[in-house]
Amino acid sequence: MRTESVAAARLAEDRAWMGRALRLARAAAARGEVPIGAVVVRDGRAVGSGSNAPIRSVDPTAHAEITALRRAARALGNYRLTGATLYVTLEPCSHHGKTPPCADAIVAAGIARVVSALEDPNPEVAGQGHGRLRAAGIAIDVGLGTEQARRDHAGHLRRMRDGRPHVTLKLAVSADHKAGLAGRRPAAITGEAARARVHRLRAMNDAILVGIGTVLADDPQLTCRLPGMEARSPVRVVLDARLRLPPGSALATSARATPVWVVAAPDAPAEAERALRELGVEVLRTPAQAGRLDLAAVLRMLAGRGITRLIVEGGPTVAAAFVAADLVDAAALFRSPTTIGPDGVDALEGMRIEAMTARLTTLGREPVGEDSVEFFERA
């Protein structure tokens, strides 16, 4: 009985410390950083913690584990952290990239035990980090906090497994599931609180994607305009097969401040490309058929350029295309209590909203000012 109570107490302690590591990861994601958290614990107290360093930091290569180990060493006045446990939300790396392997640093620090939420599917790691630690005599426990860690690392996991980013579709709909007024005129569907929530979502993604129809209709900025979050604005991606993006648009004229990538068909006009490139817009070309870009090819290209999380904010045509291609991994459905009427534009071109929601599992609904937002994800 005593053995069982000790095991239960240890599990409860492990859950608490892993919970702290997961909170660090989520906070990093909210800042637009890599969502990895790590906590070093010795003698029942946290002596060091951290998340991956921001890209623009003095030391952008410091992984969460390294940051936590350094802080623990400073707190204890001794780099040898003998007997300590490291809680981390993703398997420590075992390969030389921009940094030496985190696994080697963990061994050198004298860590006795590592509790890891997930094995990293990256072929350069894929269990080798855990294996290196075990070979050094470190006890390894894998799987605590897995469900939350999978959500936090959804972009990395999707890119490693499927060669594309994790796609979140954002929709704002009226009470009668419309996204615009008759004649395809734009409408302010949701209020200020919902718009602020959308800006937070933008900051948590590497890129935001819209179609050229949205750009021509709304001339959007597509940045994160919350106070202090402007630098977290994602790369702005426009699907524009014929390169119709106006050089005087808000996107084109701000491309040197926040990157703009325009995806065009192979035969789009070279003169239009030159005009946009002079403004700092990057023009990328992917296969197209009957004037429509191949969405799967677009996503593979974005993944190859380092994009792991993509939020799609395009209009009804682009949204429906992603749903039809089964490329939506998660959704944020903002609902307004107002109605537009039967002549309004459907949120999904040619589809009922259930075409999306029926494919996903709901995570819950919450109020946002006078509106509400419901989150979904793949089962």
Side-chain angles (χ1 to χ4, degrees), residues 57-377:
S57 69
V58 175
D59 183 7
T61 63
H63 289 185
E65 303 95 308
I66 301 302
T67 300
L69 292 174
R70 288 173 179 171
R71 289 174 175 169
R74 286 197 296 269
L76 298 175
N78 182 355
Y79 187 67
R80 291 291 295 174
L81 307 176
T82 306
T85 297
L86 172 69
Y87 297 84
V88 63
T89 60
L90 187 67
E91 178 182 6
C93 62
S94 57
H95 62 291
H96 283 267
K98 294 180 179 179
T99 63
C102 289
D104 289 356
I106 293 167
V107 172
I111 294 290
R113 178 171 173 248
V114 171
V115 181
S116 173
L118 277 180
E119 182 176 294
D120 190 343
N122 183 343
E124 294 184 305
V125 185
Q128 296 177 68
H130 291 148
R132 187 172 297 193
L133 297 176
R134 287 192 185 95
I138 296 174
I140 304 296
D141 289 311
V142 182
L144 189 64
T146 296
E147 184 176 346
Q148 182 60 54
R150 281 180 179 152
R151 289 197 182 105
D152 294 341
H153 298 293
H156 174 68
L157 298 178
R158 184 68 63 190
R159 183 168 174 247
M160 288 296 109
R161 292 170 178 165
D162 296 339
R164 65 171 180 82
H166 179 82
V167 175
T168 297
L169 177 61
K170 171 260 170 183
L171 290 176
V173 301
S174 63
D176 50 351
H177 296 164
K178 304 297 182 181
L181 302 173
R184 308 194 76 85
R185 291 174 295 146
I189 303 292
T190 53
E192 192 59 40
R195 285 191 286 273
R197 189 63 175 272
V198 171
H199 285 274
R200 283 171 53 194
L201 286 175
R202 289 177 180 178
M204 297 174 69
N205 284 270
D206 303 320
I208 176 173
L209 182 147
V210 299
I212 186 60
T214 293
V215 176
L216 295 176
D218 301 343
D219 193 23
Q221 298 180 51
L222 303 180
T223 52
C224 177
R225 296 187 292 281
L226 296 177
M229 297 291 284
E230 294 86 352
R232 302 298 178 192
S233 294
V235 173
R236 299 168 294 174
V237 180
V238 182
L239 299 182
D240 184 10
R242 301 308 307 157
L243 280 181
R244 294 186 290 154
L245 179 66
S249 64
L251 289 174
T253 55
S254 62
R256 297 195 188 281
T258 302
V260 175
W261 299 350
V262 176
V263 185
D267 60 347
E271 318 84 70
E273 177 175 345
R274 282 193 292 271
L276 291 173
R277 286 190 181 278
E278 287 177 0
L279 295 168
V281 175
E282 192 162 356
V283 177
L284 311 170
R285 295 181 184 261
T286 58
Q289 187 172 14
R292 291 183 176 271
L293 296 168
D294 182 334
L295 292 183
V298 170
L299 294 184
R300 287 193 298 271
M301 180 190 65
L302 294 179
R305 297 172 70 87
I307 302 300
T308 63
R309 284 183 176 268
L310 175 72
I311 183 167
V312 175
E313 289 193 33
T317 301
V318 168
F322 271 87
V323 171
D326 195 22
L327 292 172
V328 177
D329 303 306
L333 181 58
F334 289 84
R335 300 179 188 266
S336 166
T338 60
T339 58
I340 288 180
D343 293 333
V345 179
D346 290 335
L348 296 175
E349 187 80 35
M351 296 181 179
R352 294 173 59 85
I353 199 73
E354 289 79 11
M356 179 196 74
T357 57
R359 301 183 187 198
L360 305 172
T361 300
T362 182
L363 299 178
R365 185 169 175 172
E366 59 191 67
V368 186
E370 296 181 354
D371 308 305
S372 67
V373 59
E374 188 172 6
F375 292 100
F376 299 82
E377 69 174 13

